[in-house]
């Protein structure tokens, strides 16, 4: 799952230190994944800067990060009991230490391709 995030205009910087999926991870932003069968809090995720970025862990005004959640590696001891597939719904919550939670909810279509834009 790939999600692009950016900070609100004149918003405070958001610490986007990645979650390595271990109990000792030092991430401040928590990302959770849920479907009709599972809720997994603080899943493993990575980020890639898109365009301008100043090479720190902070998401600042004018910067964008692409968040990558691999369903095959959600972190130590974290797995889905039901694989997300056709006609399923899933939710991703992005919860920064400061600021509001963002929720992305998507319904998958009856046919899936390797790359799809789920509006």
């Amino acid at each position: 799952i790939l999600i692009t995030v950016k900070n609100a205009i004149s918003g405070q910087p958001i610490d986007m230190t990645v979650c390595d999926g271990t109990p000792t991870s030092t991430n401040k932003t928590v990302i959770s994944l849920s479907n009709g069968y599972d809720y997994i809090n603080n899943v493993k995720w990575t980020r890639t800067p898109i365009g301008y970025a100043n090479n720190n862990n902070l998401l600042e005004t004018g910067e964008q990060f692409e968040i990558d959640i691999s369903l095959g590696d959600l972190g130590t001891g974290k797995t889905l009991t039901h694989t997300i597939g056709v006609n399923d719904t899933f939710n991703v919550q992005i919860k920064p230490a400061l600021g509001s939670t963002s929720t992305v909810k998507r319904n998958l279509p009856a046919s899936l391709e390797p790359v799809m834009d789920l509006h």
Side-chain angles (χ1 to χ4, degrees), residues 55-70:
N55 296 323
N56 63 22
N57 291 326
L58 298 177
L59 178 59
E60 299 164 309
T61 302
E63 296 179 338
Q64 294 184 78
F65 289 154
E66 182 177 73
I67 303 298
D68 185 350
I69 303 166
S70 172

Side-chain angles (χ1 to χ4, degrees), residues 7 30 32 37-39 41 43 46 74 76-77 89 91 96 99-100 111:
N7 203 340
V30 173
S32 301
Y37 303 88
D38 303 289
Y39 173 82
N41 195 35
V43 299
T46 60
L74 296 173
T76 304
T89 299
N91 295 296
S100 61
S111 175

Side-chain angles (χ1 to χ4, degrees), residues 32-94:
S32 301
L33 174 68
S34 63
N35 59 20
Y37 303 88
D38 303 289
Y39 173 82
I40 302 175
N41 195 35
N42 206 23
V43 299
K44 179 179 179 179
W45 57 275
T46 60
R47 63 164 166 68
T48 303
I50 299 174
Y52 168 77
N54 59 7
N55 296 323
N56 63 22
N57 291 326
L58 298 177
L59 178 59
E60 299 164 309
T61 302
E63 296 179 338
Q64 294 184 78
F65 289 154
E66 182 177 73
I67 303 298
D68 185 350
I69 303 166
S70 172
L71 297 178
D73 184 10
L74 296 173
T76 304
K78 298 177 181 181
T79 58
L80 294 171
T81 60
H82 177 79
T83 303
I84 298 172
V86 297
N87 296 318
D88 284 338
T89 299
F90 68 90
N91 295 296
V92 174
Q93 288 186 322
I94 303 169

